[in-house]
Amino acid sequence: MDVLRRNNVKVSGTGERTLVFLHGFGCDQSMWRLVAPAFENRYRVVLLDLVGAGQSDLTAYDPARYSTLDAHADDLLAVLRALDLPTVALIGHSVSAVIGMLAAIREPERFAGLVMVGPSPHYLNEPGYAGGFERADIEELLEVMASNYLGWAGSFAPVVMGAPEQPALREELAASFCRTDPAIARHFARVIFLGDNRADLPRLRTPTLVVQSAEDAIAPRAVGAYVHQQLLGSQLVVVPTTGHCVHLSAPRETIAALAPFLDALPLPVAQPA
């Protein structure tokens, strides 16, 4: 299968260096529309949909294959090879921050830098670790998704988005959840919320920026601080907004957080696809 069609890859921008943007759960590449264009005048910008999301090939979503995040990391690396991109900087939101980390661990030479926006390597509270959720909370969330998916989408979107002063963003996220195939969403949610990638953090050697919302019910500040502490030499920026989607609720502040880090990376000239 053509991996570029499978992941609905879109390329724009005029720069010689390349940024790759990856979206979070229940979303697609359109969620970067307020941030990615700001970099197109000096970067080549690559957007894609995770398999199972947006305009990706939904028939390619095999629950057995995508039982861990490693398969999405494989897909990302396949896209980079198909575009003949030797080195990129990757900006991943939420689960895609972890997907990007896994890909960078596997092929570190391909990644000049990694931006982790609202990352969480593990959502469950454990002894000595505050992930933000008890297992019973996650099991209840998954049960509601199974019994009343549309109701779940309408109630969960405001929790994720925060930003009560921007109700249109909450409605947009709820609509995005509703467009996602419910069976895929439930399966992917289980993989995400019950997964544990804490042990992978010390294996990452790529220069990393952690972008954290000031108030995030999904990935609390304690989790962002944990990720920052586990990644030797990483940088941490707290964006003064609420919610899990800073690139939507505070795009200007997010761009301001990303730009100095990205512009300082020694990215080589990208080869044309």
Side-chain angles (χ1 to χ4, degrees):
M1 181 186 299
D2 181 351
V3 298
L4 303 184
R5 286 190 294 106
R6 180 195 64 195
N7 286 89
N8 188 34
V9 176
K10 307 295 183 184
V11 181
S12 61
T14 58
E16 296 179 329
R17 302 187 297 171
T18 303
L19 304 182
V20 179
F21 289 85
L22 279 183
H23 62 84
F25 168 78
C27 300
D28 60 26
Q29 60 185 262
S30 69
M31 296 299 180
W32 288 110
R33 70 188 184 281
L34 303 179
V35 170
F39 296 93
E40 290 179 344
N41 64 337
R42 60 191 188 280
Y43 287 96
R44 188 183 191 193
V45 171
V46 177
L47 296 165
L48 61 144
D49 295 333
L50 298 176
V51 169
Q55 299 301 309
S56 70
D57 184 350
L58 301 187
T59 66
Y61 193 90
D62 176 2
R65 178 170 187 261
Y66 290 99
S67 61
T68 71
L69 299 181
D70 294 286
H72 290 290
D74 289 340
D75 290 348
L76 169 61
L77 292 170
V79 168
L80 299 185
R81 295 186 197 104
L83 291 174
D84 194 20
L85 296 174
T87 310
V88 304
L90 186 131
I91 302 94
H93 174 236
S94 195
V95 63
S96 283
V98 178
I99 292 169
M101 175 183 71
L102 295 175
I105 290 171
R106 192 170 309 162
E107 296 189 17
E109 68 282 358
R110 286 193 178 272
F111 297 88
L114 175 62
V115 178
M116 307 178 83
V117 181
S120 178
H122 187 47
Y123 289 89
L124 300 182
N125 296 324
E126 306 282 4
Y129 175 80
F133 296 88
E134 298 297 333
R135 188 177 185 94
D137 299 329
I138 299 301
E139 293 293 353
E140 181 180 1
L141 178 149
L142 295 172
E143 289 175 7
V144 174
M145 290 183 74
S147 62
N148 182 8
Y149 182 77
L150 294 182
W152 166 85
S155 62
F156 193 57
V159 176
V160 175
M161 183 58 68
E165 73 286 358
Q166 301 183 70
L169 291 180
R170 294 178 166 204
E171 294 170 6
E172 177 186 358
L173 185 59
S176 181
F177 287 165
C178 290
R179 287 194 301 271
T180 304
D181 181 285
I184 292 176
R186 289 193 297 269
H187 180 266
F188 195 27
R190 180 171 291 276
V191 171
I192 294 169
F193 287 113
L194 297 180
D196 189 350
N197 291 96
R198 289 176 292 172
D200 293 306
L201 290 168
R203 300 170 57 206
L204 183 66
R205 294 293 181 265
T206 302
T208 301
L209 170 67
V210 179
V211 178
Q212 173 71 43
S213 172
E215 296 181 29
D216 187 345
I218 305 301
R221 288 183 68 164
V223 175
Y226 175 87
V227 172
H228 171 50
Q229 292 164 2
Q230 294 295 310
L231 297 178
L232 185 64
S234 66
Q235 302 175 38
L236 172 65
V237 174
V238 177
V239 176
T241 189
T242 63
H244 191 52
C245 303
V246 298
H247 50 311
L248 291 172
S249 62
R252 285 182 293 182
E253 293 84 352
T254 300
I255 292 166
L258 268 57
F261 175 80
L262 295 173
D263 290 345
L265 293 175
L267 296 180
V269 174
Q271 299 298 317

